[in-house]
């Protein structure tokens, strides 16, 4: 059998990753974002209640570009060609803030970390433990949240939300529908938190 000269073998080894990369890059990557509520009754109010949103904590396995889905209790699947258009944790925080602004009719929303808490009445913190399409085919959002009086440091309310939204059929491999269902789940979480804030006495 003819032997490949050492220099040629080295060139082939160097070229192989480039060829593989070119083949992998032939399929375009699709990017997605979560979206806030399309219709809310609030129109924004500069004199509304001051709300600080964050920190919002997500599981480490979700903090990645690829959209994560769950195919069993112990198995996660990563979508190589269907990815988030930015950091998913940042997207969640900003959609939550946008939703609360509309639901509470206030423009006085600050996202953590803020530089001045003197104008804020409450802080909303969220710890998400699950937020993906699960093996049943629905998006499940489980989150622990709290509302704290920023001026006194007193915790006004603790809550746990468990929300499930069906994923509509169709779309690009279903990922359009997954992102839409995740947005709906986040809207429901926002509504639960907003209702708890409204139940607090005005400061």
């Amino acid at each position: 059998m003819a032997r490949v000269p050492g220099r040629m073998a080295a060139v082939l080894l160097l070229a192989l990753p480039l060829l593989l990369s070119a083949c992998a890059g032939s399929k375009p990557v699709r990017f997605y974002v979560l979206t806030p509520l399309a219709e809310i009754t609030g129109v924004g109010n500069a004199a509304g209640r001051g709300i600080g949103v964050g920190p919002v904590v997500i599981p480490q396995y979700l903090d990645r570009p690829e959209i994560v889905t769950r195919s069993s209790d112990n198995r996660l699947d990563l979508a190589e060609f269907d990815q988030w258009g930015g950091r998913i944790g940042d997207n969640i925080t900003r959609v939550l803030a946008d939703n609360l602004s509309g639901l509470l009719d206030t423009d006085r929303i600050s996202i953590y970390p803020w530089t001045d808490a003197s104008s804020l009445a409450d802080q909303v913190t969220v710890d998400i433990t699950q937020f993906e399409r699960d093996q049943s085919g629905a998006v499940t959002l489980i989150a622990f949240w709290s509302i704290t009086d920023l001026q006194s440091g007193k915790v006004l309310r603790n809550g746990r939300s468990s929300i499930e939204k069906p994923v509509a059929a169709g779309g690009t491999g279903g990922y359009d529908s997954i992102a839409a269902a995740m947005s709906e789940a986040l809207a429901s979480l926002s509504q639960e938190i907003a209702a708890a804030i409204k139940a607090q006495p005005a400061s």
Side-chain angles (χ1 to χ4, degrees):
M1 179 182 296
R3 297 183 60 186
V4 178
R7 181 174 297 178
M8 185 177 293
V11 170
L12 289 172
L13 287 174
L14 288 172
L16 184 58
L18 296 175
L19 291 171
L20 292 175
S21 176
C23 291
S26 61
K27 184 175 181 180
V29 176
R30 293 177 289 263
F31 296 96
Y32 303 82
V33 293
L34 301 177
T35 53
L37 283 160
E39 295 182 6
I40 42 184
T41 56
V43 293
N45 182 355
R49 193 181 186 98
I51 305 293
V53 179
V56 176
V57 180
I58 64 172
Q60 188 175 6
Y61 70 84
L62 291 179
D63 190 14
R64 57 191 314 118
E66 300 89 353
I67 295 180
V68 177
T69 56
R70 187 181 294 266
S71 55
S72 73
D73 288 341
N74 304 109
R75 177 180 166 182
L76 300 172
D77 296 327
L78 308 183
E80 182 180 1
F81 298 105
D82 295 276
Q83 302 183 8
W84 295 115
R87 293 289 297 270
I88 182 61
D90 180 70
N91 194 182
I92 291 170
T93 302
R94 294 184 181 280
V95 169
L96 180 62
D98 201 353
N99 286 345
L100 291 176
S101 175
L103 291 165
L104 296 171
D105 191 18
T106 179
D107 287 339
R108 297 172 60 201
I109 296 285
S110 293
I111 294 176
Y112 182 88
W114 40 81
T115 56
D116 182 13
S118 61
S119 64
L120 301 177
D122 302 316
Q123 177 180 7
V124 175
T125 57
V126 182
D127 189 345
I128 293 173
T129 61
Q130 183 176 343
F131 194 20
E132 69 271 348
R133 191 205 67 192
D134 60 26
Q135 60 269 34
S136 74
V139 162
T140 297
L141 169 58
I142 299 175
F144 295 88
W145 49 269
S146 64
I147 303 167
T148 303
D149 184 318
L150 269 174
Q151 305 311 313
S152 68
K154 179 183 178 181
V155 176
L156 304 175
R157 175 77 182 271
N158 287 316
R160 178 184 184 274
S161 297
S162 181
I163 298 164
E164 187 173 291
K165 297 292 182 179
V167 176
T172 52
Y175 290 100
D176 276 324
S177 299
I178 290 173
M182 291 178 71
S183 298
E184 291 173 8
L186 196 54
S188 293
L189 175 63
S190 303
Q191 289 163 342
E192 291 184 17
I193 295 173
I197 292 174
K198 288 179 179 179
Q200 304 303 318
S203 57

